[in-house]
Amino acid sequence: MPNNFFGGLDFGTSGVRISVVNFDKELIYSNSVSYEYSFKDPNSWINSCEKLLDNIPIEVKSNLSKLAISGTSGTLTALDFEGQPMGKAIPYYQACNEQKVLLESLTFEEDHLRSPYSSLAKALKLIDKYGTNILLRHQSDWITGWFLKDWTHGEEGNNLKLGWDLKKESWPKSYLNTSWEKCLPQIVKSGKILGKVNFNLAERFNLNKKLILISGTTDSNASVIAAGLGKEDGLTVLGTTIVVKKIIDNPIKKQGITNHRVNGDWICGGASNAGCGILSQFFSDVELKELSRQINPSKNTSINLLPLNSKGERFPINNSNLEPILGPRPISDSLYLHALFEGLARIELKGWEKLGELTGSLPKKIITIGGGSKNPQWRKIREKIINIPIVSCKKTTSFGTALLAVNSK
């Protein structure tokens, strides 16, 4: 009797990772591929996905029974009715101010949608460019559609920034009878069965022809699942950007704040435009490891940096014109890296202070996941600045996505 395996694909800013687990939730295979082209090019996502599928051992993929996909929240693309991208996607970190008046008219009392970083702002820009005979899909929803060759559906968590209301389970009334209402996906809950993999695609990659596609989630929600977040814990995702999340009793509708339902809990959080992305602009992975060893985390640099990946910030403040502060740069590379770590830790602190102000409490410990969680010097710097105990989680976001497939119904 063949084994049943469960896969999770996570599409990030720099590449895609796969994790495959068995029914006992033990990791049996993982791999990752960096994007060959720009993150904004949807073909880059598929190109990397194809490489991963080619490299999965045949005994694993022939027994792969369910697959779920997570992706960056707020990265939106326009497709034709055959699922082909019309052009480049608008990434989560890009502000769209072009349709400000229309955006405000559609979002009465919906402050979280009024941000130029919302998917709605991106959708209005794409509609203005391509017209209304298009489909609007987020990154993981479009890739799930590629596996099915059916782009009808969208997962609830990925579509909150587009306006989906989790409590009412509907789009805002202001969307009704608009010319672009038909561009929106039919929403399904996370972890639900969508259908079988397309036969031709299964043949091409030697996949199990009975492989079931599961509605996925956002990358940060997959991190929540992987980390096993408790009610008194906080979660910091240190990927290309910094995301902070905690469990709450009721949703909070504020600009820059997202609310999700994960494993029956309400999770609120915010995502900065700062994170590990800035580190890779200055140092290679080898340099980061070597220079980190030279840092004394108990000392301060007295260099005040604001290390945004690019112009503009979403959270803990919402300002699309905010400029990074990346200097003065000292002669010592290790001192500069130390100052970047401090600047990122101060942004994370402000994020936790913002969530504490909105929810009435701070976490008793912070679980950290993502590439940056592996750096012990950065962790000590963060602990000193944030003043909350921090533990690292070795699980990956794609592992959390695979768990979603295991628990699917």
Side-chain angles (χ1 to χ4, degrees):
M1 182 176 175
N3 291 309
N4 277 341
F5 296 146
F6 305 85
L9 279 165
D10 176 59
F11 289 78
T13 311
S14 58
V16 56
R17 176 176 288 277
I18 188 167
S19 292
V20 179
V21 302
N22 60 21
F23 191 74
D24 294 322
K25 302 178 181 178
E26 298 166 330
L27 182 67
I28 61 162
Y29 176 81
S30 68
N31 198 2
S32 62
V33 173
S34 297
Y35 296 136
E36 191 172 336
Y37 323 121
S38 162
F39 169 64
K40 296 181 183 181
D41 184 351
N43 293 312
S44 195
W45 311 338
I46 295 303
N47 174 271
S48 299
C49 183
E50 289 174 339
K51 286 181 181 177
L52 278 184
L53 294 177
D54 276 332
N55 289 328
I56 301 172
I58 187 66
E59 66 271 17
V60 174
K61 59 184 172 184
S62 62
N63 290 312
L64 193 61
S65 61
K66 290 183 180 179
L67 179 69
I69 296 164
S70 57
T72 56
S73 171
T75 298
L76 193 70
T77 189
L79 335 168
D80 64 22
F81 295 130
E82 300 298 317
Q84 292 299 310
M86 307 288 284
K88 289 183 178 179
I90 303 180
Y92 61 88
Y93 54 77
Q94 184 175 323
C96 296
N97 290 295
E98 295 86 348
Q99 304 288 328
K100 189 176 179 181
V101 175
L102 179 55
L103 180 68
E104 290 182 355
S105 72
L106 289 165
T107 55
F108 179 67
E109 294 184 346
E110 302 287 348
D111 283 352
H112 63 296
L113 296 177
R114 290 195 164 199
S115 165
Y117 293 104
S118 72
S119 295
L120 179 58
K122 297 175 173 69
L124 295 176
K125 179 174 181 173
L126 290 170
I127 290 163
D128 184 59
K129 184 174 183 178
Y130 297 115
T132 58
N133 288 321
I134 58 171
L135 302 177
L136 295 167
R137 297 295 182 266
H138 288 90
Q139 187 183 31
S140 68
D141 289 336
W142 178 66
I143 296 160
T144 302
W146 178 79
F147 273 94
L148 294 165
K149 293 296 176 274
D150 179 359
W151 289 267
T152 304
H153 298 100
E155 182 270 328
E156 59 182 6
N158 274 286
N159 286 277
L160 301 185
K161 292 178 182 177
L162 191 54
W164 182 257
D165 190 310
L166 279 176
K167 276 199 160 180
K168 296 177 182 174
E169 297 191 342
S170 66
W171 296 107
K173 289 181 180 177
S174 57
Y175 292 15
L176 298 177
N177 301 318
T178 59
S179 60
W180 47 267
E181 184 186 3
K182 63 185 179 182
C183 305
L184 304 173
Q186 292 180 22
I187 299 298
V188 292
K189 293 182 185 296
S190 178
K192 296 297 179 184
I193 291 172
L194 292 174
K196 265 196 263 187
V197 65
N198 173 265
F199 181 85
N200 291 334
L201 193 142
E203 283 263 295
R204 180 181 165 196
F205 293 102
N206 294 310
L207 295 168
N208 176 6
K209 294 180 179 62
K210 294 181 180 178
L211 175 63
I212 299 293
L213 270 295
I214 304 300
S215 58
T217 188
T218 66
D219 52 356
S220 55
N221 282 346
S223 295
V224 169
I225 296 169
L229 198 66
K231 292 190 183 297
E232 294 188 335
D233 300 332
L235 178 74
T236 296
V237 184
L238 290 180
T240 302
T241 59
I242 296 171
V243 180
V244 294
K245 284 183 175 278
K246 72 189 290 275
I247 295 173
I248 51 172
D249 293 327
N250 291 296
I252 299 165
K253 287 193 174 182
K254 292 288 183 182
Q255 200 169 73
I257 300 293
T258 56
N259 299 277
H260 292 268
R261 250 185 331 222
V262 180
N263 291 337
D265 290 318
W266 283 105
I267 309 281
C268 81
S272 171
N273 276 348
C276 298
I278 196 67
L279 304 177
S280 61
Q281 288 184 32
F282 294 106
F283 305 110
S284 68
D285 288 347
V286 173
E287 287 171 329
L288 284 170
K289 284 182 181 177
E290 180 54 41
L291 294 171
S292 292
R293 290 191 192 102
Q294 300 172 31
I295 291 172
N296 181 350
S298 63
K299 292 186 176 180
N300 298 322
T301 66
S302 301
I303 303 170
N304 290 311
L305 305 179
L306 184 64
L308 300 172
N309 291 333
S310 57
K311 178 182 175 181
E313 177 61 306
R314 298 175 290 164
F315 177 87
I317 61 171
N318 196 294
N319 181 350
S320 58
N321 294 311
L322 191 65
E323 294 282 355
I325 300 172
L326 300 172
R329 179 168 180 167
I331 294 171
S332 166
D333 284 344
S334 65
L335 184 62
Y336 188 52
L337 178 60
H338 191 165
L340 289 170
F341 282 157
E342 288 178 339
L344 291 168
R346 284 191 291 269
I347 291 170
E348 185 185 351
L349 170 63
K350 288 178 182 176
W352 284 118
E353 287 174 341
K354 183 75 171 177
L355 285 193
E357 172 192 322
L358 293 172
T359 65
S361 67
L362 289 168
K364 292 188 176 177
K365 84 168 182 288
I366 294 171
I367 302 171
T368 309
I369 196 169
S373 67
K374 300 170 186 173
N375 190 301
Q377 290 83 12
W378 190 5
R379 184 174 68 248
K380 288 175 183 175
I381 290 166
R382 291 167 57 223
E383 261 187 333
K384 187 176 67 170
I385 289 174
I386 300 169
N387 199 29
I388 295 173
I390 294 172
V391 297
S392 294
C393 174
K394 293 181 180 178
K395 302 288 197 311
T396 62
T397 301
S398 59
F399 180 83
T401 312
L403 295 186
L404 190 65
V406 175
N407 297 323
S408 63
K409 296 176 182 177

